[in-house]
Structures are given as structure tokens and as C-alpha cells.
Amino acid sequence: MYLATGRVPSAFLCANFPAQAATLVLSAMPKSKRAKVVSLTKVKKRPKEKKDDLIEDIRESCGKFARVFLVSIENERNQFMQEIRKRLRPGKLVCAKNKVMQTALGTSPESECQDRIHKISEMISGHCALLFTNQSPEEVERVLAEYRPSDFARSGATATGTVVLPRGTEALAALPHSIEAHLRQLGLPTVLKEGQIHLLGEHTVCTAGKELSADAAQVLKLLEIKQAHFTLTIEAHWQQNGEFKDCSALED
């Protein structure tokens, strides 16, 4: 009767159940969530607080460094961004949402944080970043030109070259025979003969200027063909005296 209602008096437990059975019954009861202790040291910052801190950091950097460059980014990879940051030190490369960077710089002469820097804000679009540095435009151009590593292109990227695989075994000779079934799934007309992968006909993996499919990107990676080139390109330049230049004045 008591167990059916969920109420088990302690006197009943002591008289009718051993101590171990009483412990099992009590431990099966749900724990209360009303009095939960939350350590303040583990409380994460709210998104708005992080955004406000980033905006303030960008504005402070505008006053700290002599020049601000707006750079566009192509084929971003984490390891490449880490390396270019090292090469640009003591300068600082800031990647953030475009709206956040525009808000920090100001979008008009009335709201800008430095004289005429809203011109940089007007040009922010696409995938870009802000570079704060004391280096001259020529020095920055040299650093960016010297570091342009390659990587495997991803699905949706534009092919930089046409790749055509000839009929036979030569094109796929470096691949293990166990991968033949996977190659057929990727659209390659292959067959396994005597432990070798045979391509039954000429096959075009990708065409220059056209978008890479997911299958084509996988085939290029299997063949170790890299078509993605990491580049940072200067789009605009501002310096402390209010001078502003767009990308046409700094093109190679």
C-alpha cells in the first residue's frame, strides 16, 4: 500500500525492511533540481558581451596601430591563418562578422572611431579581415605575396585547372586496389583486374573555371592534386592621418 502511493514512512521501513532495502528505495526516488549550486567561475560570457569586447578591441587597435588594411581571404584554413598571423607580428589580424567590424569602425563620419576610417567600413563585404600594423603597404604586400600555400580544394570551389584521367592503369597506379569500389561510387568507370585498377575510358574529373562537385573534390584529394591556393589580398588601406586608398592603388 505504501509503495503504491509513493509515501514510505520511516517507521514502516524500520519495522518491515532491512537497512539495505530502505537505502535502495530511497535512492530510487528522483533528485530535487531546485537547489542547484552554479559556480560563477564557470559561467560563460554571453554572446553580446563577447561582441562588445571585440568591438572595443577593434577600436583600440585603430588608435594603437598606424595603419589598417582591409584584406580579402580565399581558401581559408586554420593552419594557414595561424602561420600568416605569425608572419605579420607585431601586427594583428582580426577576423570577425562583417557587421561587427563595420559597427566597430563606424559606418558614417558621425559614428566612425577615427577620421575617415568609415571608408574602410563601406568596402567590407564577402570573406575579409582587418589587419592592424605599423608596417608600410610595400612590406605588407611582400609578406602576403611570399605566403600562398596550396591545399586540397573543397566541394563548391572553382576548379583552377582541368584534370583528365587517361584510359588504362597508369593514372590510378598509386592507389591501393581495395579502393576500387569506392572509385566507382565516385563516378569513375573502373574495374579490378589482377590486383590492378583499370580505368575503362578517359574520364574528366574537373574543368577549369567550373564548380567542383563533392565527388570531384574527393577524387582530386585521392590523387593528391591541390587546387586551392590560400591568398590574402589588400582591398583598402587607411592610416592615422586620415589618408585612405582603395585596392586599385595597391594592386600587383
Side-chain angles (χ1 to χ4, degrees), residues 98 121 139:
N98 290 353
S121 182
E139 289 174 316

Side-chain angles (χ1 to χ4, degrees), residues 26-37:
L26 292 174
S27 63
M29 297 176 69
K31 294 181 180 179
S32 173
K33 296 183 180 179
R34 294 179 183 176
K36 239 182 181 180
V37 178

Side-chain angles (χ1 to χ4, degrees), residues 91-107:
K92 182 164 64 173
L93 188 66
V94 176
C95 297
K97 290 183 178 179
N98 290 353
K99 285 288 185 183
V100 173
M101 293 190 290
Q102 288 173 325
T103 300
L105 298 179
T107 55

Side-chain angles (χ1 to χ4, degrees), residues 50-241:
K50 288 184 178 180
K51 184 175 74 173
D52 291 343
D53 290 346
L54 182 56
I55 289 173
E56 187 60 31
D57 181 58
I58 291 174
R59 288 173 176 170
E60 287 179 1
S61 298
C62 291
K64 180 180 176 182
F65 293 93
R67 296 178 177 87
V68 180
F69 293 87
L70 174 65
V71 294
S72 59
I73 307 172
E74 291 185 31
N75 300 305
E76 180 184 356
R77 305 289 189 271
N78 287 338
Q79 66 270 30
F80 296 159
M81 291 297 289
Q82 290 174 6
E83 179 60 28
I84 197 65
R85 280 190 167 100
K86 290 179 183 177
R87 294 174 180 237
L88 291 168
R89 288 174 182 166
K92 182 164 64 173
L93 188 66
V94 176
C95 297
K97 290 183 178 179
N98 290 353
K99 285 288 185 183
V100 173
M101 293 190 290
Q102 288 173 325
T103 300
L105 298 179
T107 55
S108 66
E110 293 77 24
S111 62
E112 63 186 7
C113 63
Q114 296 285 337
D115 185 33
R116 297 194 70 198
I117 203 168
H118 76 278
K119 294 287 187 180
I120 291 279
S121 182
E122 290 175 353
M123 295 186 65
I124 292 176
S125 64
H127 192 34
C128 58
L130 296 174
L131 170 61
F132 301 92
T133 182
N134 292 324
Q135 291 180 307
S136 66
E138 294 75 20
E139 289 174 316
V140 173
E141 282 279 10
R142 178 184 56 79
V143 173
L144 299 185
E146 288 177 354
Y147 187 68
R148 293 185 176 179
S150 300
D151 195 13
F152 299 110
R154 295 172 178 173
S155 174
T158 301
T160 58
T162 300
V163 177
V164 180
L165 304 180
R167 179 180 178 180
T169 61
E170 185 179 351
L172 306 174
L175 300 179
H177 65 84
S178 58
I179 205 172
E180 189 273 329
H182 181 55
L183 293 176
R184 276 188 278 115
Q185 291 178 346
L186 295 177
L188 273 68
T190 62
V191 66
L192 190 63
K193 292 181 180 178
E194 298 177 353
Q196 286 188 314
I197 301 175
H198 291 252
L199 197 61
L200 300 177
E202 186 177 87
H203 179 76
T204 301
V205 179
C206 62
T207 304
K210 291 188 177 180
E211 185 177 303
L212 286 176
S213 66
D215 289 348
Q218 285 192 53
V219 173
L220 291 176
K221 188 171 184 178
L222 288 171
L223 297 175
E224 297 187 356
I225 298 174
K226 297 181 178 181
Q227 288 200 354
H229 306 286
F230 171 76
T231 56
L232 292 185
T233 306
I234 296 177
E235 301 294 341
H237 164 227
W238 172 91
Q239 60 186 44
Q240 282 286 352
N241 61 8

